[in-house]
Amino acid sequence: MALLLKNATNSIWHAFNALCPDKSGLVVKSRLKVLTANIGTLLDLYGVEKGLEHYRSTTDLNFEHFKYYLQKEVFSPLPDTFTLTSIQDFEARVDEVCWLVCKKDLLTRENTLLPDESVFQLFRVFCMLSDLVQDSQETFQVLMHSSEVGKVVSEIVNSVGLEWDSIEFDNLSSSVKAFRFSSFLALVETKYFGDGSVETDGLVEAVQEIFRTYLQDVLKKGTLMKRGFLLPTLREYWFVLRPTVLSYYKTQDERECCGTINLDTQCRVDATSRGVRAQDKAHRLALHTSERTHEFAAYDHRSRLQWVSSLHLAITQSGSREGYQRTLAARRRAQREADDLRLSEEHKRRTSQILDMEMTRAQLQAEKTARVAAEMQAKELVAVHREEEKRVQMLEETRRTLERLLEEETQAKRDEEIVRNLQGRVLREEMEHREKLERLQEEQKELLEQEREKRKEFEKQQREKEVQLIEAQQRLRQLEEEKQKLDKELESAQEKITTSEKSKEVLEAKLRVMLPQLKDSGRVCRALSFVPSTKERPAFAEVRSNISANGLKRSEEAPH
């Protein structure tokens, strides 16, 4: 199949070049047999390498002869009914085999920033966007145009959050029109990310995103809500759109695929409003396939328009056997060729114009020489009239000078009148503005004066309140001190009262015990001679007085 060979030619050339140690463009057939056998095995073709022995009488082949053999013996038996997905799958296998052959040379570099997997992804992108250019009769080169390099590298730079300097790259591409893969890889790893400003994980994700966009033809990714088939409820999924299939996953890591929707040219997509209430903010769209109708909902109108446009593009590209990105690359390549052709034709046209101008200049020089000779002959005839012509010319110049001066004077008067009118208007406007400004200044002064008086009154009231507050605080402290003093005196008095009451009760108890035992006044006197403690004295004095009175009474009543 010619299309598969066309897509894999650049990667096959890298493997062919890796098998050529002297870089002469010729590889022995014994080495090419292994590469041919591996490619044939991937395509379920066995024994295709045996024909190399009888192909041409030489022991080695250049790339053009090897490519012709692959086309006739390996890719021609393949049917032309392969779908785009099958072609991309076979292409990925062929690229992987070629990468195993040439990766040892391509991975040898000074600044190693990307892992081997990311380098392989960049290798596939490079092979897809590059052109096979013939250097000489035997040697070829796979080169990537500087515009394609700028496009890929700018997308990587922008995806990691850096700013792309297009002027700097234009200055670089002005001297280098095309890049090999080693130069392209060095540009990515050293020129733009060699300073360590970007983490390796972020750069790997950016390269993977570029790989999916270009090699897997990912047209769009995003979140949509999908209506279920059995349960008519909307569930959120992560969707990935390619030209032939719409896949949806549970999460953005795309590990667990929930389903796929095959796309063909018979599908159609449109907006729908079925079951949408006025307050419902979901924006619906429907995808009609040959099997059923799938209904989706976006979160905003802009997202819905983007998905509808991307689905239309995917449906349009589903019937093509060449990938969408390859189609765009072919268009850009054709545009560059057209521009180069136009520039070449423009260069040829300019060269032809220069030659014509040189011939015309030579003719003019000859005519000028002839005219000079004729003028020399006519000088004698003109000498008679020269003086008269000079006088006429002087008079004419004087007349033109006078007319010009008159016009300038008239215009100056007009300009002066206009300037005077403008000055008067400006003065009037300035006076009006000045009066208005003075009024505003007077009003501002009055307001400032009023504000100043209010502020003075407020400050005075504030000072009075502060004085009152200080006095109140002092009075409050005095009252608190007096209260504390009274509380202490009250507690002391209460303690004394409690102590005296207890002493009185004890003394009364003692007296009740002692009174019956006192038989005579002598004992009474001894009892009266009892000296209480200081705390018992007030209560004991009253008891003593009562006892003394009773004892004297008894002594008077007793017989002598």
Side-chain angles (χ1 to χ4, degrees), residues 204-240:
V204 169
E205 292 180 1
V207 171
Q208 187 176 8
E209 190 68 23
I210 293 295
F211 173 76
R212 291 178 178 177
T213 301
Y214 283 92
L215 271 302
Q216 298 179 359
D217 276 339
V218 176
L219 301 179
K220 185 172 177 57
K221 291 183 178 182
T223 303
L224 284 176
M225 291 184 290
K226 180 180 180 298
R227 182 182 292 275
F229 180 69
L230 299 177
L231 297 177
T233 57
L234 292 175
R235 291 189 61 185
E236 182 179 279
Y237 294 98
W238 176 259
F239 284 83
V240 178

Side-chain angles (χ1 to χ4, degrees), residues 112-119 121 156 159-161 188-189 193 196-210 212:
T112 304
L113 181 62
L114 292 172
D116 295 350
E117 181 65 23
S118 298
V119 176
Q121 293 174 353
I156 296 175
S159 63
V160 297
V188 174
E189 290 188 324
F193 303 104
S197 58
V198 178
E199 295 182 358
T200 305
D201 294 339
L203 185 58
V204 169
E205 292 180 1
V207 171
Q208 187 176 8
E209 190 68 23
I210 293 295
R212 291 178 178 177

Side-chain angles (χ1 to χ4, degrees), residues 51 145 270 351 466 472 482 541:
H145 196 268
D270 56 7
T351 305
E466 288 177 355
E482 292 177 359

